[in-house]
């Protein structure tokens, strides 16, 4: 993906569809549309997956909580959401096997009655998953549970119910969608902010008036149709297109914190089924850490970045601690992050915790804007399909959706043991070889080749992690990285797992980016200092 080339295309070509927002739904729409033969542009005011789509719990799931609520409240909307999620789960796993994989989750229980309850519930969950081959749930005894998660409190533990869902690297999965769209002909560019719309005499949108957020240069993108995929910010774009529309989105804040891997000391995740506010919380191994989340609180202020605060940190720790033999100490916090859910709310009196994570495609007849509203990561492909099906109707020609079987960038010919090929061919350590294979899939050799050509690029960014300098160069040249945070937060996931090592790695990352992008010393300092200040604020808010 070349940003300069894409910006020139945005300014000079006429597109069938311009998609605003390069998160999961927007990138998914771009890939779907371009595979159907449309001429497509995909833009975002920040980086790919810079908001909600990089701040999920990293699960691919139907939603155990939704299933429970569906039966307790006879809520068929919840049941439909579970079915959709489980139908899509196997597709998300199949289409990017390097970025998504099965995940075993343990539900600890304190009595045989609890064990029976969750066994029945998770057996029903299995029955809804008719299209995949994940192992079925099973009720394990105390010894079997402790063999898998040894840090649990053996005095309180009775047994546990094991079930399977999926896990993904959300930011890189979104990037793979954008890369795949680009490789099929879409013009893809980050840091392009929408300022308004150009309309014809009937009030229909015929151009997107935008600006390059880096240079400030105005960009006018001519198009036949615009699709709004901006998640929690959807109402802003909708009202920009038609001020008479009513708001539809109820943003909800969810936070996660990252602790050392030895908190669970396991590759098994954990579902905590009982919380003080009626949610479920997950503790999940991710990138060498144990990630705990999430919360659900009303959020009216969406312009400022949501961050983990002390109260939320204490809530998550208090939720996990009763299950652990050794309680979490506040000093163990390594990182944290917050995100906004774009919840659809027909009833403004309902709490965000009771809202279903379903989606809706809205066509505004006055402006012609299509908005893809609501939804969640697991169903991104279905959401995109529904949106592009609506675009087909507007365009007057039904076309076939091809995304169910489209293998994303890096997934081509990928094998689970491909890290061994990287290790043998390039002589890199095992942990680095495994990391490259999991992040870049069948394209890992492109990064490893850079490291072989320049020995300095083989060096680690942090002695505690498998990330290497060659990845910075590769990301700038091939993944449209333009700021240090693009790389450290989303191309690798260091920001959300280890704040201290993010700060330690920042000078080297800034130096490598400056060399690739031709920054002056002042420009390099500006980017590095601004990012360091952001991390410092995250630390202050959480501690």
């Amino acid at each position: 993906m070349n940003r300069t080339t894409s910006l020139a295309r945005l300014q000079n070509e006429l597109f069938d569809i311009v998609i605003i927002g390069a998160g999961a739904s927007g990138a998914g729409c771009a890939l779907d549309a371009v595979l159907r033969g449309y001429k497509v542009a995909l833009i975002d005011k920040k980086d790919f997956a810079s908001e909600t789509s990089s701040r999920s719990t990293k699960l691919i799931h139907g939603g155990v909580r939704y299933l429970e609520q569906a039966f307790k409240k006879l809520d068929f909307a919840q049941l439909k959401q579970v079915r959709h999620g489980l139908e899509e789960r196997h597709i998300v796993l199949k289409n990017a096997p390097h970025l998504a994989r099965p995940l075993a989750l343990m539900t600890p229980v304190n009595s045989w009655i609890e064990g029976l309850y969750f066994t029945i519930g998770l057996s029903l969950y299995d029955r809804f998953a008719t299209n995949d081959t994940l192992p079925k749930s099973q009720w394990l005894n105390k010894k079997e549970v402790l063999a898998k998660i040894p840090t649990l409190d053996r005095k309180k533990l009775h047994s546990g119910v094991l079930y399977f869902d999926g896990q993904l690297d959300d930011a890189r999965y979104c990037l793979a969608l954008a890369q795949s769209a680009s490789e099929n002909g879409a013009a893809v560019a980050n840091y392009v902010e929408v300022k308004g719309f150009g309309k014809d005499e009937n009030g229909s949108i015929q151009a997107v008036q935008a600006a390059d957020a880096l240079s400030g240069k105005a960009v006018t993108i001519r198009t036949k149709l615009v699709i709004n995929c901006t998640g929690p910010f959807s109402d802003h774009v909708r009202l920009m297109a038609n001020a008479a529309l009513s708001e539809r989105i109820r943003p909800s804040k969810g936070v996660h914190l990252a602790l050392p891997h030895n908190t669970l000391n396991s590759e098994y995740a954990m579902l905590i089924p009982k919380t003080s506010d009626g949610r479920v919380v997950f503790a999940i191994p991710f990138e060498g850490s144990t990630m705990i989340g999430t919360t659900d609180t009303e959020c009216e202020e969406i312009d400022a970045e949501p961050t983990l605060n002390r109260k939320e940190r204490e809530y998550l720790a208090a939720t996990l601690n009763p299950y652990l033999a050794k309680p979490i100490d506040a000093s163990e916090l390594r990182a944290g992050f917050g995100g906004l859910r774009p919840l659809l709310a027909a009833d403004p009196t309902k709490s965000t915790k009771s809202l279903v994570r379903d989606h809706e495609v809205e066509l505004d007849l006055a402006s012609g804007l299509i908005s893809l509203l609501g939804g969640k990561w697991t169903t991104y492909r279905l959401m995109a399909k529904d949106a592009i099906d609506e675009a087909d109707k507007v365009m007057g020609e039904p076309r076939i959706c091809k995304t169910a079987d489209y293998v994303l960038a890096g997934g081509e010919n990928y094998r689970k043991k491909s890290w061994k090929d990287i290790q043998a061919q390039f002589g890199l350590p095992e942990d680095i070889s495994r990391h490259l294979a999991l992040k870049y899939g069948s394209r890992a050799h492109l990064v490893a080749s850079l490291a072989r050509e320049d020995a300095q690029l083989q060096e680690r960014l942090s002695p505690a992690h498998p990330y290497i300098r060659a990845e910075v160069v590769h990301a700038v040249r091939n993944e449209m990285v333009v700021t240090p945070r693009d790389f450290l937060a989303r191309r690798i996931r260091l920001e959300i797992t280890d704040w201290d090592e993010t700060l330690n790695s920042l000078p080297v990352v800034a130096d490598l980016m400056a060399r690739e992008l031709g920054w002056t010393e002042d420009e390099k300092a500006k980017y590095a200092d601004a990012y360091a200040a952001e991390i410092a604020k995250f630390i202050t808010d959480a501690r």
Side-chain angles (χ1 to χ4, degrees), residues 57 59 103 105 167 264 269-270 282-286 289-292:
T57 311
L59 287 177
L103 178 70
L105 295 103
Q167 182 178 38
L264 293 185
M270 191 169 118
F282 296 93
I284 297 174
F286 184 75
S289 69
T290 298
M291 191 178 71
I292 307 171

Side-chain angles (χ1 to χ4, degrees), residues 155-232:
K155 294 178 182 178
K156 296 179 181 179
L157 182 69
H158 174 272
S159 55
V161 183
L162 181 68
Y163 77 103
F164 286 80
D165 260 324
Q167 182 178 38
L168 82 167
D169 182 334
D170 50 9
R172 288 207 66 90
Y173 204 108
C174 184
L175 178 69
L177 289 167
Q179 286 177 309
S180 299
S182 175
E183 290 170 8
N184 282 279
V188 175
N190 53 3
Y191 295 98
V192 176
E193 183 174 1
V194 175
K195 299 293 187 179
F197 297 106
K199 299 180 179 179
D200 62 19
E201 62 275 9
N202 298 316
S204 295
I205 294 172
Q206 61 180 6
V208 176
Q209 297 165 344
D212 178 352
L214 302 182
S215 69
K217 182 179 178 182
V219 181
T220 299
I221 312 168
R222 295 176 298 134
T223 185
K224 300 173 186 176
L225 183 65
V226 175
I227 301 180
N228 169 23
C229 295
T230 55

Side-chain angles (χ1 to χ4, degrees), residues 366-385:
S367 67
L369 177 72
I370 292 176
S371 292
L372 178 50
L373 306 172
K376 65 175 189 174
W377 238 116
T378 304
T379 55
Y380 87 86
R381 193 202 66 86
L382 178 63
M383 294 162 59
K385 177 182 181 299

Side-chain angles (χ1 to χ4, degrees), residues 89-200:
R89 183 178 68 179
H90 78 285
I91 297 176
V92 179
L93 289 167
K94 170 175 64 84
N95 288 357
H98 57 307
L99 297 172
R101 59 200 60 88
L103 178 70
L105 295 103
M106 185 73 71
T107 305
V109 296
N110 297 327
S111 69
W112 71 268
I113 295 176
E114 279 189 350
L116 181 62
Y117 177 79
F118 289 114
T119 298
I120 293 171
L122 290 168
S123 295
L124 286 171
Y125 191 68
D126 291 340
R127 287 180 179 272
F128 276 90
T130 57
N131 296 322
D132 63 30
T133 58
L134 293 185
K136 301 303 180 185
S137 59
Q138 51 185 308
W139 192 356
L140 304 180
N141 63 37
K142 179 176 181 176
K143 182 178 179 181
E144 290 171 321
V145 174
L146 289 170
K148 292 174 170 53
I149 307 181
T151 60
L152 295 179
D153 186 349
R154 62 178 59 244
K155 294 178 182 178
K156 296 179 181 179
L157 182 69
H158 174 272
S159 55
V161 183
L162 181 68
Y163 77 103
F164 286 80
D165 260 324
Q167 182 178 38
L168 82 167
D169 182 334
D170 50 9
R172 288 207 66 90
Y173 204 108
C174 184
L175 178 69
L177 289 167
Q179 286 177 309
S180 299
S182 175
E183 290 170 8
N184 282 279
V188 175
N190 53 3
Y191 295 98
V192 176
E193 183 174 1
V194 175
K195 299 293 187 179
F197 297 106
K199 299 180 179 179
D200 62 19

